Amino acid sequence: MRLGAVIITMGNRPDELKALLDSVARQEGDPVEVVVVGQGVRLTGLPEGVRCVELPENLGIPGGRNVGIEAFGPGGGEVDALLFLDDDGLLERTDTAELCRQAFAEDPRLGIVSFRIADPESGETQRRHVPRLRASDPMRSSRVTTFLGGANAVRTEVFKQVGGLPGEFFYAHEETDLAWRALDAGWLIDYRADMVLLHPTTAPSRHAVYHRMVARNRVWLARRNLPAPLVPVYLGVWLLLTLLRKPSAPALKAWFGGFKEGWTTPCGPRRPMKWRTVWRLTRLGRPPVI
């Protein structure tokens, strides 16, 4: 099974990027081909054999990753699966690529594998990095309904069948949008605790646009993918959860601004999932109302 890797960067972490590329090069088995996408930056000092794409502007996380996919041919077709790795991450083990090959080979319905993210100093895995509701034990692998954007592997057949990441999202919830479309097409998603990306513990709210885009994209996610009766239920639940978390006044103002924007701006094509997919999500422990 041919593997590629897509890494997007804004050029502000050269040392971390080099360490990540070295960890990919150390993977056992056939070499993993790598594409680095520069988001509005010139790329210099990349190792020999690493492809690079320099974009004139920052297209956002899903937009940049889509460019990386197409660098491997339409839908990434030059390879069988693609790893997506944050530029400040590091593959802890040398057999992660081989574990990916094995997982995809053993289950032809497996479309996406989500890695475990662990802090390089403490070894801690943040609760938000376990893509399921029952997240208290990050060491337990399981079938899940979404995945982690900067630490995963996707079979390229998924992109050919359901399309790429939603570029208009720019940041936040783009993984769940792809996951729901993949699940609706019959693919499976696994969280694997033994496939580890070391990554410093961070808070998502460090991004200035976090609260606005989380709210906007949550609305877009529902409008694009959910059956009509579930849209108000899903968004009502998340509105209540947001209020219960008691964000600061500026954060709440940004959130409501994004929530309004989600209703008043185009969200891309609407393809509501089948009701049997809603039932699948429910059986997997995360009905699409939360």
Side-chain angles (χ1 to χ4, degrees):
M1 175 171 280
R2 298 164 300 169
L3 292 184
V6 174
I7 302 166
I8 59 174
T9 184
M10 295 180 66
N12 53 352
R13 299 167 178 151
D15 294 338
E16 292 88 342
L17 175 60
K18 182 181 183 304
L20 172 61
L21 292 172
D22 289 344
S23 74
V24 174
R26 287 195 299 268
Q27 293 300 299
E28 300 165 11
D30 292 338
V32 179
E33 297 184 50
V34 180
V35 166
V36 177
V37 179
Q39 296 268 49
V41 296
R42 293 293 305 273
L43 297 171
T44 59
L46 296 179
E48 184 178 351
V50 172
R51 308 186 208 179
C52 69
V53 180
E54 295 176 344
L55 301 177
E57 61 180 323
N58 182 2
L59 298 183
I61 293 173
R65 287 181 178 147
N66 283 340
V67 170
I69 294 168
E70 296 303 308
F72 287 98
E78 293 178 8
V79 293
D80 299 301
L82 283 170
L83 281 64
F84 295 87
L85 306 170
D86 276 351
D87 67 343
D88 56 345
L90 184 74
L91 291 174
E92 180 184 44
R93 297 166 48 156
T94 60
D95 64 347
T96 301
E98 283 290 89
L99 289 173
C100 286
R101 292 186 180 100
Q102 180 182 357
F104 286 127
E106 289 178 351
D107 189 347
R109 294 179 60 213
L110 180 63
I112 302 172
V113 177
S114 187
F115 302 169
R116 179 168 62 89
I117 294 178
D119 183 84
E121 299 295 332
S122 67
E124 174 194 1
T125 295
Q126 293 179 273
R127 188 179 182 91
R128 69 185 182 91
H129 284 154
V130 182
R132 58 178 179 244
L133 290 180
R134 296 177 180 177
S136 59
D137 182 8
M139 302 305 295
R140 178 174 66 88
S141 300
S142 69
R143 199 134 274 175
V144 290
T145 62
T146 188
F147 64 99
L148 306 174
N152 67 80
V154 182
R155 195 189 295 266
T156 52
E157 190 63 34
V158 174
F159 298 125
K160 296 175 190 175
Q161 186 171 357
V162 306
L165 294 154
E168 56 268 63
F169 279 38
F170 196 84
Y171 164 78
H173 302 317
E174 65 272 6
E175 302 90 359
T176 300
D177 186 272
L178 177 61
W180 282 0
R181 286 182 281 128
L183 289 165
D184 197 48
W187 295 101
L188 300 172
I189 305 172
D190 279 353
Y191 166 72
R192 289 283 298 265
D194 57 337
M195 301 182 190
V196 182
L197 183 82
L198 298 179
H199 187 283
T201 298
T202 57
S205 54
R206 70 190 186 278
H207 298 291
V209 296
Y210 171 76
H211 296 287
R212 179 177 69 86
M213 289 198 173
V214 160
R216 182 197 68 182
N217 292 358
R218 182 82 68 184
V219 178
W220 282 358
L221 180 68
R223 289 175 58 197
R224 286 164 59 98
N225 295 288
L226 291 181
L230 293 186
V231 173
V233 180
Y234 177 81
L235 295 176
V237 167
W238 278 103
L239 172 61
L240 178 61
L241 287 173
T242 299
L243 294 174
L244 289 174
R245 289 169 176 169
K246 298 179 179 178
S248 66
L252 194 60
K253 181 179 179 181
W255 193 93
F256 274 110
F259 193 79
K260 178 181 178 182
E261 185 181 350
W263 286 107
T264 58
T265 55
C267 64
R270 172 168 166 76
R271 299 187 182 96
M273 67 177 65
K274 307 174 190 71
W275 282 104
R276 69 185 180 196
T277 305
V278 173
W279 177 236
R280 280 187 67 203
L281 290 164
T282 303
R283 290 179 60 192
L284 286 169
R286 188 151 197 166
V289 295
I290 187 169

